[in-house]
Amino acid sequence: MKPSLEVNIHNLVLKNPVMTASGTFGYGPEFEDFFDPSVLGGIFVKGTTGKLRQGNPYPRMAETPMGMLNAVGLQNKGVDGFISDIYPKIKHYGTHLIVNVSGSTVEEYIEVAEKINALEHIPAIELNISCPNVKEGGMAFGTSCPSAAAVTRAVREVYHKTMIVKLSPNVTNIAEIAQVVEGAGADAVSVVNTLLGMAINAETRRPVLSTVTGGLSGPAIKPVALRMVWQTAKAVKIPVIGLGGIMTATDAIEFLLAGATAVQVGTANFIDPTVCPKIIAGIESYMIRHETEDIKSLINGLITV
Amino acid sequence: MKPSLEVNIHNLVLKNPVMTASGTFGYGPEFEDFFDPSVLGGIFVKGTTGKLRQGNPYPRMAETPMGMLNAVGLQNKGVDGFISDIYPKIKHYGTHLIVNVSGSTVEEYIEVAEKINALEHIPAIELNISCPNVKEGGMAFGTSCPSAAAVTRAVREVYHKTMIVKLSPNVTNIAEIAQVVEGAGADAVSVVNTLLGMAINAETRRPVLSTVTGGLSGPAIKPVALRMVWQTAKAVKIPVIGLGGIMTATDAIEFLLAGATAVQVGTANFIDPTVCPKIIAGIESYMIRHETEDIKSLINGLITV
Amino acid sequence: MKKFIHDFHIIENKDLNPGHFVLTLKPEVNLPPIFPGQFAEVRIDGSTGTFLRRPLSFHDVDYDANTITLLVQRKGDGTNRLAVMKPGDTINMVYPLGNSFHIGSSGERALLVGGGCGVAPLLYLGKILAKNGIRVTTLMGARSEEYIMEPERYKGHGELLLTTEDGKAGTKGYVIHHEVWRERNFSFDRVYTCGPDPMMKAVARLAVRHQVPCEVSLEQTMACGVGACLCCVIETNEGNKCTCTDGPVFDPNDLKNWLE
Amino acid sequence: MKKFIHDFHIIENKDLNPGHFVLTLKPEVNLPPIFPGQFAEVRIDGSTGTFLRRPLSFHDVDYDANTITLLVQRKGDGTNRLAVMKPGDTINMVYPLGNSFHIGSSGERALLVGGGCGVAPLLYLGKILAKNGIRVTTLMGARSEEYIMEPERYKGHGELLLTTEDGKAGTKGYVIHHEVWRERNFSFDRVYTCGPDPMMKAVARLAVRHQVPCEVSLEQTMACGVGACLCCVIETNEGNKCTCTDGPVFDPNDLKNWLE
Ligand SMILES: Cc1cc2nc3c(=O)[nH]c(=O)nc-3n(C[C@H](O)[C@H](O)[C@H](O)COP(=O)(O)OP(=O)(O)OC[C@H]3O[C@@H](n4cnc5c(N)ncnc54)[C@H](O)[C@@H]3O)c2cc1C
Ligand SMILES: Cc1cc2nc3c(=O)[nH]c(=O)nc-3n(C[C@H](O)[C@H](O)[C@H](O)COP(=O)(O)OP(=O)(O)OC[C@H]3O[C@@H](n4cnc5c(N)ncnc54)[C@H](O)[C@@H]3O)c2cc1C
Ligand SMILES: Cc1cc2nc3c(=O)[nH]c(=O)nc-3n(C[C@H](O)[C@H](O)[C@H](O)COP(=O)(O)O)c2cc1C
Ligand SMILES: Cc1cc2nc3c(=O)[nH]c(=O)nc-3n(C[C@H](O)[C@H](O)[C@H](O)COP(=O)(O)O)c2cc1C
Ligand code: FES
Ligand code: FES
């Protein structure tokens, strides 16, 4: 029997729990040569802001042990550019398209969310209150309970489809932030965005990144991300979408066991542009091997006794 | 000319900035076959508590991408056992011996610190308010400003030599904790202890560690540790001792450039038991190559303009 | 025992069956004394999945040739990487680590019980025991005929008994089902065992029943191998002990819940 | 242009000098069309220091033999790992990536200026230009004689000019010091250049002075190579562009602060 990989995030039905993480998959066309995007559970598109942004100066990337730092800083065409230039090309992808909504002010989040709310083929947004690479807003919203609640509540007023909030790992207590965001109307949370890190070139004595610090992603952060998913899933009733360092089907299953209802694959797309279909196939063969008929039985399946 | 590697941590003069991190070098004798401990700038011995502790159940270790999780949980002979069994064997090592003081209650920290204060050959303690692997105390002290201040202040009353406080990276704002600890009388801070992480065995669907979560160390955490050292060094006037993922002389120099006055080498001792003398030699040859006469000119030497 | 860190060159890498291979290695210096039961912490380069060293027992030590051998089971990234290493390649080892098996006195009879890859340390042990005038019987439990590894080498210093799960070679079943354990057959002064924990526990209980001393060799996961990290602990009647320094060889009577 | 992800087998790994080597690689399938200036993102296994792929230009493409070559400079973990790979070893590549050099019309004369390892893409470019009836002059700047790499291959499709820093071969100095740039000697319709940024900037300014179009090939650090991560940006007059998709070949007139 073919196992069922279907999961639900609020009222989105995902054909499988494997989605691509914002900022790591472009808008989808970048990977069309490698596989059909409709095989994915969903695509989280690049962080989208009120106006076009150029992002941070080059250099924006540093390789680290089993990970990377980025300081892209929300370069994007702005919500109007997204709607006019990109949306028409991807709206018929046959998978859920979720816009990662970013901003410097609550007003900017509201503006973007309102405009995205009007798009027929975008069933959900992901509020990015955890971008470590912008001077204003971003992570600042996601690292304190009152501001996380405020932006969530404000966007909730104008956005009427599935609203996911993406949390920052750079906090003392992620479960607390998740609870606050749940209370403010989030339908799901994504855990986690990048860890704030830094790289130095000892020869030149300069930071590698133009912004000095950047966001750490990749396998290096997986143990931290997994722990945070586990803590968050125990603290909230809304679904948790797990991410951070997922490279293989086994990694994805670990996140499900820790309490994630679905996962996002980020940096791994850079290492292997065909990684997502491989992860989906790997989950399926794990389920066949373990005689698991419904993937939902893996979610929160960690045995701790 | 032979460059000078000497640095000062409060009133300790270190022959070089390379020390071994608590819990990763035993008490020193474990490595005597590999090199003479007197070459080190200092040795931070294993976390020491009021009474003998058995630590957490096995398994206590999980390998992760370029890192490891541990959940040792402060297994040690207790301060009296340290004084009677270990201290006599190491007191003439010819390097600074620093006891990592741990506890579940403020009273326990005070008890250990008082007893260590009486030992002639122990010029400093490191208050471990950041152990993620004990149910009581440990990290709980280090993740809130009031409790970090309270334990620091209490120990300061009874401990009259150099008092270093070891900070937890599992916080929203490490600079803030560092400032509070400085205000409470710390002579230096160590940045950082392990990141709280988790590993799951997808086949058995169980956590790998008996305690579910554990402390992440090794190169994987270096970008985060480096960032925290940089943030802390800008926020306090007392010296910062940097650690987290240092494997090479280049890594050590990066921490100095970020603002650390000295460094500790932890997990790397497991990978190469001779790594510390190699790092010391590597720093020296870097200095010769860069015509740096005094290592103090590297400290905080990051060029950000 | 002084510990060293040395580079070893691979002289030979021989597959025994799909799951196991034997590496013969030579250091650039003369081998220091190594006792049966000791192990090395092996650095595995060229694999992103192996950050820590891997503990592997000395399978054999040949002071004349100045070589050592390791018997390795493919498990994950590290051992799979070792499996493809070629003569001339170099691996770094920290060694010799841990305590060693107790060598009885001349004339004794010893039963060495190995399951699967657990036979690894028993070859060198058998050789040293025989050299010390002890009569050696090795009881090897294999999944199937294919997994009976290097039988001739064990026969070189004593008797070899076999069990296989399907009974195609030796006795059918596990090592504990071998007739050597029957009251009338059992004529040993000491039992040594290495293999999966459940097997060793069963063997240890049989040794107790036969009222002979027994030694077991444990395989707790390790980070440092030198007693520094306290990761490899086993609960004993005197509290947690380190498998890497107090072990890997233990008297099962000292281990908590081992004989229940 | 359709992108692929294929395994390639190493056919040959030839050292040119202590810092550079040439890999000849063959895929298991037929090569797709590849244009001069394009690059591959190469996965480097067996090195703990290389998590990301490494971008390397196509140095040559041979459709008859179904092989490609890469000219690689040893820099760090990744390229040092490639340097020791042997015939038969496999590497995985995502390719062909990026735009390509503009091919002028038959009868044109082109000057290809490469510094150090920057000559890598200019071999294949020269071959294709020549095939299209363009007269090719390659100006190669090397640190010293030893670093003049594969001169015969460039001479196969045109003229080769040289500069070395000590003047032991060709003109003494850098590529910009070569007499070809003198007013009376300069007779080209187009300049192509690849090498260190300062060299390319100087070359681009010379091209402007001679009022001919110029193309430069950039080497920004990359994570994805396919336009997804936005890490490899270069400031242009129209805002940030991706070197991996909008480049690596650019008109220096479009690049901010490049001709100042
Ligand atoms: C004292 C001792 C002696 C040993 N002797 C031998 C021997 O002679 N031959 C042999 O084939 N195997 C031996 N082992 C087991 C061997 O160490 C593991 O099979 C090996 O580490 C697996 O590594 P891997 O990368 O292939 O697999 P991984 O995928 O890393 O792990 C597979 C399994 O091995 C365990 N393991 C991983 N890393 C370690 C570690 N650092 N320490 C201990 N266990 C680990 C894991 O918990 C897991 O269950 C011995 C172990 C110990 C402790
Ligand atoms: C489009 C393009 C084409 C190139 N073509 C060639 C070529 O044909 N031959 C050749 O020898 N080199 C070429 N390079 C440069 C080559 O990519 C780097 O030298 C190589 O990535 C260094 O890797 P490493 O692991 O050896 O060194 P590292 O120690 O990782 O790095 C050494 C230097 O290379 C840079 N680098 C590291 N990773 C990357 C990356 N993912 N992307 C870009 N730069 C990086 C670092 O910033 C550092 O300055 C090209 C680069 C680009 C962008
Ligand atoms: C280059 C890059 C760009 C990113 N851009 C965004 C973004 O625009 N919005 C966002 O919420 N997260 C962004 N992220 C974070 C990822 O979506 C993801 O949370 C993080 O990388 C951890 O997952 P991973 O380890 O699987 O990559 C970016 C990450 C990378 C590496
Ligand atoms: C096995 C192990 C045991 C540790 N025990 C202690 C301890 O007792 N007290 C303490 O303050 N830190 C302890 N640490 C943390 C280290 O001292 C250090 O802060 C951390 O490992 C980060 O440095 P590294 O990446 O260089 O290992 C331990 C770390 C490891 C890996
Ligand atoms: S492995 Fe570190 S103490 Fe045994
Ligand atoms: S390298 Fe990712 S966009 Fe160019």
Side-chain angles (χ1 to χ4, degrees):
Chain A
M1 217 205 68
K2 209 174 149 60
S4 160
L5 270 70
E6 199 177 282
V7 297
N8 305 310
I9 300 289
H10 184 232
N11 47 34
L12 294 190
V13 181
L14 312 183
K15 63 185 77 152
N16 65 61
V18 180
M19 303 184 277
T20 55
S22 178
T24 66
F25 199 70
Y27 295 96
E30 295 82 352
F31 290 80
E32 272 180 32
D33 284 346
F34 302 111
F35 65 91
D36 175 355
S38 76
V39 306
L40 294 168
I43 296 174
F44 286 77
V45 306
K46 177 72 196 160
T48 301
T49 54
K51 300 271 160 304
L52 177 151
R53 290 199 189 193
Q54 290 297 336
N56 292 316
Y58 179 87
R60 296 176 169 185
M61 192 274 279
E63 198 179 19
T64 68
M66 288 306 272
M68 64 175 277
L69 289 164
N70 88 80
V72 171
L74 299 178
Q75 176 179 336
N76 78 104
K77 299 195 175 201
V79 63
D80 297 331
F82 171 77
I83 294 171
S84 61
D85 299 358
I86 298 158
Y87 178 63
K89 289 186 202 149
I90 63 175
K91 65 181 182 187
H92 293 307
Y93 261 180
T95 186
H96 295 304
L97 297 171
I98 301 165
V99 174
N100 181 265
V101 173
S102 303
S104 304
T105 60
V106 173
E107 292 66 39
E108 190 177 358
Y109 282 99
I110 292 175
E111 179 197 343
V112 179
E114 272 190 316
K115 288 181 174 169
I116 300 295
N117 194 51
L119 302 179
E120 187 190 338
H121 297 281
I122 306 285
I125 57 170
E126 180 181 56
L127 268 195
N128 176 5
I129 59 166
S130 44
C131 179
N133 296 324
V134 285
K135 281 219 186 70
E136 281 147 23
M139 197 174 99
F141 284 112
T143 52
S144 97
C145 288
S147 59
V151 61
T152 307
R153 206 174 298 116
V155 175
R156 180 74 293 177
E157 305 245 307
V158 302
Y159 189 74
H160 309 301
K161 305 182 195 170
T162 299
M163 182 174 78
I164 303 161
V165 178
K166 186 164 181 182
L167 305 184
S168 171
N170 302 295
V171 296
T172 309
N173 188 340
I174 195 161
E176 195 180 87
I177 308 260
Q179 284 168 337
V180 158
V181 152
E182 178 180 37
D187 298 316
V189 284
S190 295
V191 176
V192 294
N193 209 314
T194 52
L195 278 160
L196 192 63
M198 177 174 174
I200 293 174
N201 181 330
E203 289 304 310
T204 61
R205 302 194 188 176
R206 290 176 186 275
V208 178
L209 302 173
S210 68
T211 47
V212 185
T213 60
L216 183 64
S217 63
I221 72 166
K222 195 188 81 171
V224 174
L226 206 52
R227 181 262 297 182
M228 289 188 164
V229 165
W230 187 67
Q231 290 177 326
T232 305
K234 287 194 298 182
V236 297
K237 291 195 193 65
I238 51 176
V240 176
I241 303 171
L243 76 158
I246 295 176
M247 298 284 286
T248 65
T250 308
D251 294 334
I253 290 160
E254 290 167 21
F255 276 87
L256 298 180
L257 293 170
T261 298
V263 298
Q264 295 178 35
V265 177
T267 307
N269 293 302
F270 306 159
I271 313 305
D272 179 358
T274 61
V275 73
C276 285
K278 285 179 190 160
I279 291 174
I280 296 164
I283 293 174
E284 196 170 304
S285 49
Y286 172 97
M287 289 175 68
I288 292 169
R289 191 155 46 79
H290 285 261
E291 295 174 11
T292 309
E293 282 172 23
D294 187 345
I295 198 160
K296 296 189 187 90
S297 68
L298 293 179
I299 298 165
N300 233 324
L302 191 70
I303 308 166
T304 52
V305 283
Chain B
M1 220 205 67
K2 210 176 148 61
S4 161
L5 269 71
E6 200 176 280
V7 297
N8 306 309
I9 300 290
H10 184 233
N11 48 34
L12 294 189
V13 180
L14 312 183
K15 62 185 79 151
N16 65 62
V18 180
M19 303 185 278
T20 56
S22 179
T24 66
F25 199 68
Y27 295 97
E30 295 82 352
F31 290 80
E32 273 180 32
D33 283 347
F34 302 111
F35 65 92
D36 175 355
S38 76
V39 305
L40 294 168
I43 296 174
F44 287 77
V45 306
K46 177 71 198 162
T48 302
T49 52
K51 301 267 159 307
L52 177 150
R53 291 199 188 192
Q54 291 296 336
N56 292 317
Y58 179 87
R60 295 177 171 185
M61 193 274 281
E63 198 179 20
T64 68
M66 287 306 272
M68 64 176 276
L69 290 164
N70 89 80
V72 171
L74 298 178
Q75 176 179 337
N76 79 105
K77 300 193 172 202
V79 62
D80 297 332
F82 170 76
I83 294 172
S84 62
D85 299 358
I86 298 157
Y87 179 62
K89 290 185 202 150
I90 62 173
K91 65 182 181 187
H92 293 306
Y93 260 179
T95 186
H96 295 303
L97 298 170
I98 301 165
V99 174
N100 181 265
V101 173
S102 303
S104 303
T105 60
V106 174
E107 292 67 39
E108 189 176 0
Y109 281 100
I110 293 175
E111 179 196 343
V112 178
E114 271 188 318
K115 287 181 176 170
I116 299 296
N117 193 51
L119 303 178
E120 188 190 338
H121 297 280
I122 307 285
I125 56 171
E126 180 181 55
L127 268 195
N128 176 5
I129 59 167
S130 44
C131 179
N133 296 324
V134 286
K135 282 220 184 71
E136 282 148 23
M139 196 174 100
F141 283 112
T143 51
S144 97
C145 287
S147 59
V151 60
T152 307
R153 208 174 297 116
V155 175
R156 181 74 291 178
E157 305 245 309
V158 302
Y159 189 74
H160 309 301
K161 304 181 196 171
T162 299
M163 182 172 80
I164 302 160
V165 178
K166 185 165 182 181
L167 304 184
S168 171
N170 302 296
V171 296
T172 309
N173 187 341
I174 196 162
E176 193 181 88
I177 307 260
Q179 284 168 336
V180 157
V181 153
E182 178 179 39
D187 299 317
V189 284
S190 295
V191 176
V192 293
N193 209 315
T194 51
L195 279 160
L196 193 63
M198 177 172 174
I200 292 174
N201 181 330
E203 288 304 310
T204 62
R205 302 192 188 177
R206 291 177 184 276
V208 179
L209 302 174
S210 67
T211 47
V212 185
T213 60
L216 183 64
S217 63
I221 72 166
K222 195 188 81 170
V224 174
L226 206 53
R227 180 264 295 183
M228 289 190 163
V229 165
W230 187 66
Q231 291 178 323
T232 305
K234 287 193 299 182
V236 297
K237 291 193 193 66
I238 53 176
V240 176
I241 303 171
L243 76 158
I246 296 176
M247 297 286 284
T248 64
T250 308
D251 295 335
I253 289 160
E254 290 167 20
F255 276 87
L256 299 180
L257 293 170
T261 299
V263 298
Q264 296 178 37
V265 177
T267 306
N269 293 300
F270 307 158
I271 314 305
D272 179 359
T274 62
V275 73
C276 285
K278 284 178 189 160
I279 290 175
I280 296 164
I283 293 175
E284 198 170 302
S285 51
Y286 172 96
M287 290 175 69
I288 292 168
R289 192 156 45 80
H290 285 260
E291 295 175 9
T292 309
E293 282 171 23
D294 187 345
I295 198 161
K296 294 185 188 94
S297 69
L298 293 178
I299 298 166
N300 234 322
L302 191 71
I303 307 166
T304 50
V305 284
Chain C
M1 289 238 7
K2 195 165 154 59
K3 302 182 280 277
F4 297 88
I5 176 165
H6 287 153
D7 279 341
F8 282 68
H9 299 292
I10 296 180
I11 302 292
E12 190 187 49
N13 183 351
K14 199 171 93 187
D15 280 341
L16 298 182
N17 54 48
H20 299 81
F21 57 97
V22 174
L23 288 173
T24 307
L25 300 153
K26 201 181 174 81
E28 277 160 7
V29 296
N30 283 333
L31 286 168
I34 297 168
F35 295 106
Q38 291 193 296
F39 65 98
E41 276 275 34
V42 178
R43 176 91 201 93
I44 299 174
D45 293 313
S47 159
T48 45
T50 51
F51 171 60
L52 297 169
R53 288 175 182 263
R54 295 291 187 263
L56 295 169
S57 301
F58 289 100
H59 180 47
D60 202 358
V61 180
D62 183 338
Y63 289 104
D64 296 331
N66 200 45
T67 58
I68 61 121
T69 58
L70 303 173
L71 168 59
V72 189
Q73 178 175 13
R74 283 169 178 267
K75 274 242 177 134
D77 276 2
T79 49
N80 281 321
R81 173 83 192 117
L82 283 179
V84 298
M85 292 190 82
K86 298 191 188 75
D89 288 348
T90 300
I91 61 179
N92 182 273
M93 307 214 283
V94 175
Y95 77 108
L97 302 175
N99 68 358
S100 54
F101 291 108
H102 176 254
I103 308 296
S105 35
S106 177
E108 266 190 10
R109 283 170 304 183
L111 180 62
L112 283 56
V113 187
C117 191
V119 299
L122 303 184
L123 177 69
Y124 185 45
L125 172 63
K127 277 175 66 169
I128 295 293
L129 289 174
K131 224 185 225 161
N132 281 273
I134 292 159
R135 279 166 53 194
V136 175
T137 300
T138 306
L139 169 55
M140 192 190 283
R143 216 182 314 166
S144 66
E145 231 178 322
E146 190 184 15
Y147 287 89
I148 301 169
M149 295 181 276
E150 311 175 293
E152 298 311 318
R153 298 189 71 181
Y154 298 88
K155 289 183 193 159
H157 54 254
E159 186 186 12
L160 179 66
L161 308 176
L162 296 170
T163 65
T164 53
E165 289 177 31
D166 58 6
K168 287 226 174 100
T171 301
K172 184 181 161 94
Y174 297 115
V175 286
I176 51 165
H177 302 128
H178 196 277
E179 44 273 24
V180 75
W181 296 108
R182 299 223 185 108
E183 204 57 65
R184 62 169 184 281
N185 298 336
F186 193 88
S187 56
F188 301 97
D189 301 304
R190 195 181 294 272
V191 172
Y192 303 92
T193 183
C194 184
D197 276 5
M199 183 206 90
M200 288 198 286
K201 285 185 180 171
V203 168
R205 280 192 289 266
L206 284 171
V208 168
R209 180 149 12 113
H210 289 292
Q211 293 179 305
V212 295
C214 177
E215 287 184 337
V216 301
S217 178
L218 304 186
E219 294 196 357
Q220 307 294 84
T221 50
M222 295 182 175
C224 74
V226 299
C229 73
L230 309 185
C231 287
C232 63
V233 287
I234 180 82
E235 251 191 297
T236 75
N237 299 327
E238 296 155 44
N240 281 326
K241 293 217 168 167
C242 283
T243 302
C244 70
T245 47
D246 301 314
V249 179
F250 288 96
D251 180 337
N253 289 293
D254 295 338
L255 302 179
K256 247 195 169 151
N257 311 327
W258 256 64
L259 296 174
E260 281 152 26
Chain D
M1 287 236 10
K2 195 165 152 62
K3 301 181 282 275
F4 297 88
I5 177 166
H6 286 154
D7 280 340
F8 282 69
H9 300 291
I10 295 181
I11 302 293
E12 190 187 48
N13 183 350
K14 198 171 92 186
D15 279 340
L16 298 182
N17 55 47
H20 299 81
F21 57 98
V22 174
L23 288 173
T24 307
L25 300 154
K26 201 182 173 82
E28 278 161 7
V29 295
N30 284 333
L31 286 169
I34 297 167
F35 295 106
Q38 290 194 297
F39 65 98
E41 277 275 34
V42 178
R43 175 91 201 96
I44 299 174
D45 293 312
S47 160
T48 46
T50 50
F51 170 60
L52 299 169
R53 288 175 182 262
R54 295 291 186 266
L56 294 168
S57 301
F58 289 100
H59 180 46
D60 202 358
V61 180
D62 182 339
Y63 289 103
D64 296 332
N66 200 43
T67 58
I68 61 119
T69 58
L70 304 172
L71 168 59
V72 189
Q73 178 174 14
R74 284 170 178 265
K75 274 244 179 132
D77 276 3
T79 49
N80 281 319
R81 173 86 192 114
L82 283 179
V84 299
M85 292 191 82
K86 298 191 189 75
D89 290 347
T90 300
I91 61 180
N92 182 274
M93 308 215 280
V94 175
Y95 77 110
L97 304 175
N99 68 357
S100 55
F101 291 108
H102 176 251
I103 307 297
S105 35
S106 180
E108 266 190 12
R109 281 170 305 182
L111 179 62
L112 284 55
V113 187
C117 191
V119 298
L122 302 184
L123 177 68
Y124 186 45
L125 172 62
K127 277 175 66 169
I128 295 294
L129 289 174
K131 225 183 225 163
N132 281 274
I134 291 157
R135 277 166 54 194
V136 174
T137 300
T138 305
L139 168 55
M140 191 190 285
R143 216 181 315 167
S144 66
E145 232 180 318
E146 190 184 14
Y147 287 89
I148 301 169
M149 295 181 279
E150 313 174 291
E152 298 310 320
R153 298 189 71 180
Y154 297 87
K155 288 182 193 159
H157 54 255
E159 185 186 13
L160 178 66
L161 308 176
L162 296 170
T163 65
T164 53
E165 289 177 30
D166 58 6
K168 287 221 175 105
T171 301
K172 183 182 163 97
Y174 298 114
V175 285
I176 51 165
H177 301 128
H178 197 277
E179 44 274 22
V180 76
W181 296 108
R182 298 218 187 112
E183 205 56 65
R184 63 168 183 282
N185 298 337
F186 193 89
S187 56
F188 301 97
D189 302 303
R190 195 182 293 274
V191 173
Y192 303 92
T193 183
C194 183
D197 277 5
M199 183 205 90
M200 288 197 287
K201 286 184 181 173
V203 168
R205 280 192 290 263
L206 284 170
V208 168
R209 186 158 356 122
H210 289 291
Q211 294 178 303
V212 296
C214 177
E215 288 185 337
V216 302
S217 177
L218 303 187
E219 295 197 354
Q220 307 295 81
T221 51
M222 295 182 175
C224 73
V226 298
C229 73
L230 309 185
C231 286
C232 63
V233 288
I234 180 83
E235 251 189 296
T236 74
N237 298 327
E238 295 155 44
N240 281 326
K241 292 217 167 164
C242 284
T243 302
C244 70
T245 46
D246 299 314
V249 179
F250 289 95
D251 180 336
N253 289 293
D254 296 338
L255 302 180
K256 248 198 171 149
N257 311 326
W258 255 63
L259 295 175
E260 282 153 25

